[in-house]
Amino acid sequence: MIKKDKLVWIYTKMNEIRKFEEKAWKLFEQNKLRGSVHLYIGEEAIAATVISLLRDEDYITSTHRGHGHGIAKSGDLKSAMAELMGKETGFCKGRGGSMHIADLKKGNLGANAIVGAGIPIAVGGALAAKLKGTDQVAVSFFGAGASTQGAFHEGLNLAAVWDLPAIFICENNKFAISVPVEQSTSVEDICVRSKSYDIPGIKVDGNDVLAIYAAMEKAVKRAKAGKGPTLIECKTYRWKGHWTGDPEVYRTREQVAEWVAKCPIKRLRKYMIYEKIATKKELDDIETAAQAAVDEATEFALSSPEPDPKNGDG
């Protein structure tokens, strides 16, 4: 059983991520963002639950679809929104944008526009923790498409050889841009690739907070005990296109609707009410507060200054 305060934290982060991404979509349509964005709507349970088991000093690496990871790790909606708008008050002073958000103070080693490129960076973080003798862990988030990259296999192999405290989270949302996973991957489940490196591979429902939490808790304990890495595959789905201009001709409306009906936020809400962990009023208040926080972050970003070209080094 996950304690109430932990579940409330997860529910809060899930709602903050959802509201943030919905706002980002609207801002894109209003031409107030720098370039396109890759939205995390539908996958919120993964980032919120995995990061609920981490501390500030633990590391994460993220992806081009990284807003959710950054929000859950840092909790700073204002800096995140400002970075999307290319403002001086953003995490990277407006110079990184949507796909390159980092927050070293909170252990976010950065999102990465190159598919799979965050995996070896997380392995480096895990190696640093082992060499320093700390109990830090390093988590790498990536999609199913990244599991066909050499960096995935090189990263898992090295982490396994050296028994590094690394946790690999595959967010399998069914597509690599527009290509269905089954057309680009030789295995049905990405997690079975862990067998090649003699490490645990766990498959979970990526919309089920309880299942993700149980798998992640086990992986963290293994990592801190010096027993090496774990690969966790979270089966999920992105509600929006690959990016904000995606025509989405490669999937049906019926398929999208099927997954929207499996909303991870509604699922956790139903569970918390049924188990009397929280009341409808408490959860409504969390949702309202999340929207207010995102609105405040948006106003902060809109009123923030543009980067000064003279400060080219950031």
Side-chain angles (χ1 to χ4, degrees), residues 230-260:
T230 300
L231 171 62
I232 301 174
E233 178 185 6
C234 301
K235 301 280 192 179
T236 185
Y237 196 84
R238 54 170 166 79
W239 292 10
K240 298 293 186 180
H242 172 68
W243 63 293
T244 39
D246 186 352
E248 300 186 60
V249 296
Y250 51 86
R251 62 182 185 177
T252 65
R253 293 181 180 180
E254 290 75 18
Q255 185 185 60
V256 176
E258 177 186 346
W259 279 90
V260 169

Side-chain angles (χ1 to χ4, degrees), residues 42 45 75 83 94 129 162 164 171-172 187 192 194 206 210 215 236 256 259 302 310:
E83 189 60 38
W162 289 343
L164 299 182
E171 299 178 306
N172 185 349
V187 292
V192 302
S194 66
L210 275 65
T236 185
V256 176
W259 279 90
L302 287 169
K310 295 179 181 179

Side-chain angles (χ1 to χ4, degrees), residues 1-33:
M1 176 71 75
I2 307 173
K3 293 183 179 179
K4 177 178 179 176
D5 60 342
K6 186 73 75 173
L7 281 173
V8 167
W9 189 93
I10 293 170
Y11 190 76
T12 299
K13 291 304 169 188
M14 289 174 68
N15 275 279
E16 287 178 352
I17 295 167
R18 174 72 59 86
K19 303 298 184 184
F20 184 95
E21 296 291 63
E22 290 174 344
K23 178 66 74 173
W25 175 266
K26 292 180 180 178
L27 291 168
F28 171 81
E29 292 180 325
Q30 297 167 0
N31 199 30
K32 293 179 180 178
L33 296 185

Side-chain angles (χ1 to χ4, degrees), residues 114-127:
I114 301 174
V115 174
I119 296 173
I121 296 173
V123 172
L127 175 59

Side-chain angles (χ1 to χ4, degrees), residues 88 92-93 95 308-314:
E88 187 72 28
C92 304
K93 298 189 177 182
R95 293 159 174 80
D308 186 347
K310 295 179 181 179
N311 298 328
D313 61 354

Side-chain angles (χ1 to χ4, degrees), residues 144-167:
S147 73
T148 63
Q149 298 288 326
F152 168 85
H153 298 280
E154 293 162 5
L156 263 68
N157 181 66
L158 198 58
V161 169
W162 289 343
D163 290 325
L164 299 182
I167 301 171

